[in-house]
Amino acid sequence: MMRNIHFFNLAPGADEKRVLELWDGPIAEFALARGCLERRTLKLHDARYDSGTGADAFEPAQFMNESLWPDLASAEACWSQDATEDFTAARAELEPMVVMVGGMRYNTP
C-alpha cells in the first residue's frame, strides 16, 4: 500500500468550506473511480512551528489531504488518464484557493 499526502494552506480570501468540498467531492470521486482506495482531507489543529530561524524556519500547513493506493504505479496511472469535465472544473476552481506547502509518499506494510 502507498499513501500520498499533500500539505496545504488556504490562499487569502479562499472559502474553506468550498475547498474541502472540492478536495473530497469531484477530486476524490475521480481518484476513487481509478484505483484509489481511500481519500480524506483533514484540518490540522496541532501542527507545530519550526524553531529554526531565517531561511530554515517554516510555518506548518493548515490542512492535509491523504490518499491510499494499492501501489505507486496505480496512483501514477490514475493521473495519466483523461480527466473528466467535472474533475477539470474542480481542479481549475481549487488551484487558486490553495497554497501547496509540501507532500510525501510512503509505503505501508
Side-chain angles (χ1 to χ4, degrees), residues 52-101:
T53 59
D56 294 333
F58 67 92
E59 202 170 310
Q62 300 168 319
F63 296 88
M64 179 180 93
N65 177 267
E66 177 182 43
S67 57
L68 176 65
W69 298 85
D71 51 44
L72 179 60
S74 298
E76 290 179 347
C78 170
W79 305 114
S80 67
Q81 295 181 29
D82 290 337
T84 64
E85 189 175 313
D86 287 344
F87 175 80
T88 301
R91 187 172 64 187
E93 184 180 352
L94 181 66
E95 284 181 358
M97 292 194 292
V98 298
V99 177
M100 288 298 189
V101 176

Side-chain angles (χ1 to χ4, degrees), residues 12-67:
D15 179 350
E16 178 180 325
K17 182 180 177 191
R18 184 63 182 148
V19 166
L20 298 177
E21 288 172 355
L22 291 167
W23 269 117
D24 295 334
I27 303 289
E29 291 167 9
F30 181 85
L32 290 167
R34 290 160 180 78
C36 181
L37 303 172
E38 175 186 324
R39 287 182 64 89
R40 62 185 171 176
T41 304
L42 305 168
K43 185 169 185 174
L44 304 174
H45 291 285
D46 197 32
R48 303 285 195 303
Y49 288 92
D50 183 351
S51 60
T53 59
D56 294 333
F58 67 92
E59 202 170 310
Q62 300 168 319
F63 296 88
M64 179 180 93
N65 177 267
E66 177 182 43
S67 57

